[in-house]
Amino acid sequence: MIKIFGHTNPDLDSIASAYAAEYLLSKKGIDAKAFRLGDYNKEVNYATNYFGITLDMPLIDRVEDNDEVMLVDHNEFTQSVGNIENAKIFMVIDHHKIDNFRTKEPLEYIAKPVGCNSTTIYEMLKEINAIDRKDVLAMLLSAIISDTLLLKSPTTTKKDIDVAEEIAGILGVNLNEYGYELLKAGADLSDVTEDELVRIDSKVFEPNGKKIEIAQINAVDMDSILSRQSKIEEAMNKVIAEKGLDAFLVAVTDVVNCNSEIIAIRK
Ligand code: MG
Ligand code: MG
Ligand code: MG
């Protein structure tokens, strides 16, 4: 049996690619099983709940010597399963630069410069007339939305757009509405405290002898963050006092529409 998996700390594309690749290989009569190298994230859970999909992808952290494996959505050994250097790599389907990768034997290696690996897997399923499973299509569509930030990221290609629109048509899903809700679920910061929010991604700068801290909060639903502004300001004031800052700027960035609102406090 070939073990299929995406990268560690798996995103939706790593889960969907492995899930769909299991079906792709089964259609070719190859015994294979999808695994995962980490917990399902919020986007994966949103997608599977929305479409009523139950994933059966066991968690693994290493493989045995000479295990047959297939890598999807990654190729770098540093992002892969433990003991990967002693496994037999049967196949790779990926959309990243090729780095830190070597094998002892020949293999099938598919590398496409697309925004999402699931785009390539969809095309491979279509080639063999295997786009008949709605659960597989739903996972692939969700992955394309996730990797391309709803077809808006600079890495998005025409192929990603065409495939996403085609699958949405087959499933009868409103791409923009579903996509927005999916990204929002993934960027859900409701369980993150204000004290944590202003510390997730922050740096101190010292221009002209002043001590200024700048933090960024990436959000999809900016309003839900801005509705917490007074508590965020309280948290900012705590940091100003703690670190003796002259000013603290927090940028709340809407990753879908590429806008930012700045909350700034001077000592
Ligand atoms: Mg990925
Ligand atoms: Mg990917
Ligand atoms: Mg990604």
Side-chain angles (χ1 to χ4, degrees):
M1 184 207 47
I2 294 165
K3 293 177 177 167
I4 310 170
F5 42 80
H7 51 78
T8 51
N9 192 14
D11 55 12
L12 186 39
D13 191 27
S14 269
I15 297 294
S17 289
Y19 186 67
E22 178 185 313
Y23 183 51
L24 178 74
L25 293 198
S26 81
K27 291 297 273 188
K28 296 181 177 206
I30 300 167
D31 183 23
K33 169 101 188 117
F35 291 82
R36 62 191 161 97
L37 307 189
D39 290 334
Y40 297 126
N41 68 19
K42 285 180 178 172
E43 280 183 349
V44 173
N45 289 331
Y46 183 84
T48 52
N49 284 337
Y50 185 91
F51 290 103
I53 298 165
T54 308
L55 296 176
D56 167 30
M57 293 174 54
L59 183 64
I60 49 166
D61 60 7
R62 62 176 283 115
V63 290
E64 301 304 318
D65 290 0
N66 300 314
D67 268 2
E68 276 205 287
V69 301
M70 170 174 176
L71 277 51
V72 291
D73 193 36
H74 75 298
N75 68 78
E76 298 190 40
F77 284 6
T78 50
Q79 300 168 7
S80 199
V81 77
N83 199 34
I84 183 69
E85 50 285 333
N86 295 312
K88 269 183 74 172
I89 302 177
F90 164 78
M91 188 174 182
V92 177
I93 305 176
D94 189 27
H95 68 131
H96 295 94
K97 73 177 159 87
I98 300 168
D99 200 2
N100 195 359
F101 183 84
R102 60 173 61 241
T103 59
K104 295 179 192 108
E105 291 170 65
L107 77 158
E108 188 164 358
Y109 194 119
I110 296 164
K112 300 265 188 188
V114 286
C116 178
N117 200 52
S118 289
T119 296
T120 302
I121 299 197
Y122 175 81
E123 291 191 315
M124 294 174 73
L125 285 168
K126 195 175 172 182
E127 243 171 55
I128 58 164
N129 294 314
I131 50 170
D132 54 332
R133 265 184 52 189
K134 296 222 156 148
D135 57 329
V136 171
L137 297 185
M139 290 304 289
L140 295 173
L141 173 64
S142 303
I144 297 170
I145 292 164
S146 167
D147 260 17
T148 65
L149 293 173
L150 196 37
L151 307 173
K152 288 196 177 96
S153 76
T155 53
T156 309
T157 65
K158 185 170 184 301
K159 263 189 195 158
D160 298 298
I161 296 169
D162 290 347
V163 168
E165 285 175 352
E166 187 168 316
I167 301 177
I170 296 169
L171 296 176
V173 168
N174 181 315
L175 184 56
N176 282 314
E177 278 173 25
Y178 170 66
Y180 181 78
E181 291 304 320
L182 175 70
L183 293 181
K184 197 167 110 180
D188 176 19
L189 295 167
S190 57
D191 56 358
V192 179
T193 68
E194 288 78 15
D195 285 328
E196 289 164 339
L197 276 179
V198 301
R199 287 176 168 89
I200 290 173
D201 178 12
S202 79
K203 290 190 184 82
V204 176
F205 298 87
E206 299 199 10
N208 310 320
K210 302 274 188 203
K211 201 171 171 192
I212 295 169
E213 180 152 335
I214 301 177
Q216 185 168 30
I217 301 171
N218 285 326
V220 168
D221 182 7
M222 211 151 79
D223 291 342
S224 73
I225 299 296
L226 294 176
S227 71
R228 298 163 70 182
Q229 185 167 344
S230 61
K231 283 192 170 172
I232 290 173
E233 287 177 4
E234 272 175 45
M236 289 167 71
N237 277 319
K238 271 192 244 171
V239 176
I240 289 173
E242 259 169 42
K243 297 186 182 173
L245 300 175
D246 292 294
F248 193 178
L249 278 70
V250 172
V252 184
T253 300
D254 177 335
V255 293
V256 174
N257 296 306
C258 307
N259 289 326
S260 290
E261 294 268 348
I262 310 283
I263 305 171
I265 299 181
R266 258 205 308 212
K267 187 176 67 175

